[in-house]
Amino acid sequence: MDRFVYKIGDSLYVNLTNRCSNSCDFCVRNYDVDHKHGYEGYDLWLHSEPSAAQVCEQASAELDAHPEIDEVVFCGFGEPTYRMAEICAVADFAHARGLRTRINTNGQGSEINDRDISADIVDHIDTVGVSLNATDPDKYDAICHSVYGKRGFEIMLDFARACVARGGNVVFSVVDIIGDGEIAKAKAIADSIGAKLRVRKMIDGQDR
Ligand code: SF4
């Protein structure tokens, strides 16, 4: 049986898809090409994408076994916004159990779904983590290799702006290896949009 949820600290992570519109240089998937090593000890490669009911079944078992869990995070091995219906259903399940919800997204979900998903995200997700990664389209494309090319950067920023406009709690992330100058530019971008900025440590090549 594939693993649809996995626990790190007091958070339960939800793994909905292997698909992603980016191919980031630092993605953990690059370090697990044979899908045998997994992440944090978990094998996260999916052989089929789960239904919301399958996720909730595995989540219930983990929550019953670990009452300290206080947050559900949509993250996993791919870009979660490929599965919007499942995100909304599982987020409703999490809120009904008194848990907070968070997503880690590349911010390209509105393009992926061919509609503005910001309302669904803000309605269901308490913290919207968006991987900023870089400070302009050229640098972003050089690292993230979006299927949308250099447009991927603006698509991501537009999504963040739309979520902030709807009252969402948006937190951009960058990895500390980009250096102090780029971090300062990233902070200026976040401030201009009304988002927060989280500077993550580069650990095992992964920014999730
Ligand atoms: S790091 Fe995230 S956005 Fe980048 S390729 Fe991996 S799953 Fe996709």
Side-chain angles (χ1 to χ4, degrees):
M1 165 86 71
D2 282 342
R3 179 171 286 279
F4 309 135
V5 301
Y6 55 105
K7 180 179 176 297
I8 299 177
D10 292 343
S11 298
L12 190 68
Y13 285 71
V14 176
N15 183 27
L16 289 171
T17 184
N18 301 324
R19 291 182 282 168
C20 190
S21 53
N22 276 354
S23 181
C24 301
D25 290 340
F26 52 78
C27 182
V28 69
R29 301 186 302 181
N30 301 335
Y31 301 86
D32 188 27
V33 288
D34 55 4
H35 313 310
K36 287 183 179 161
H37 307 301
Y39 177 59
E40 297 269 342
Y42 297 113
D43 177 8
L44 299 180
W45 192 258
L46 298 173
H47 297 91
S48 62
E49 294 184 337
S51 66
Q54 287 176 306
V55 173
C56 292
E57 184 181 349
Q58 286 192 7
S60 288
E62 288 290 321
L63 293 170
D64 290 346
H66 301 285
E68 72 275 17
I69 292 172
D70 59 5
E71 178 188 47
V72 166
V73 185
F74 298 90
C75 183
F77 240 24
E79 168 51 40
T81 58
Y82 278 90
R83 310 291 316 283
M84 281 305 300
E86 289 74 17
I87 287 173
C88 293
V90 175
D92 286 343
F93 160 87
H95 284 144
R97 300 255 326 209
L99 307 173
R100 291 176 287 115
T101 58
R102 176 161 62 93
I103 192 168
N104 288 348
T105 175
N106 66 17
Q108 297 170 13
S110 291
E111 196 76 13
I112 289 166
N113 288 275
D114 204 20
R115 69 180 178 87
D116 180 359
I117 64 165
S118 61
D120 280 345
I121 290 291
V122 170
D123 284 350
H124 291 87
I125 304 295
D126 302 320
T127 299
V128 184
V130 180
S131 299
L132 180 63
N133 292 332
T135 58
D136 66 47
D138 288 329
K139 290 184 190 129
Y140 184 86
D141 193 46
I143 299 168
C144 298
H145 314 291
S146 170
V147 297
Y148 307 115
K150 292 178 185 176
R151 271 203 319 125
F153 184 73
E154 285 301 330
I155 290 167
M156 175 266 297
L157 290 185
D158 285 347
F159 168 75
R161 284 189 198 99
C163 289
V164 169
R166 295 182 186 279
N169 176 32
V170 176
V171 183
F172 282 128
S173 67
V174 292
V175 186
D176 58 358
I177 56 165
I178 65 174
D180 290 345
E182 285 297 294
I183 290 171
K185 286 185 195 169
K187 180 75 169 68
I189 290 172
D191 288 347
S192 73
I193 285 177
K196 298 170 183 138
L197 179 71
R198 181 177 178 211
V199 181
R200 299 171 58 93
K201 294 251 178 259
M202 186 74 179
I203 301 172
D204 297 335
Q206 177 65 327
D207 174 33
R208 293 296 275 175

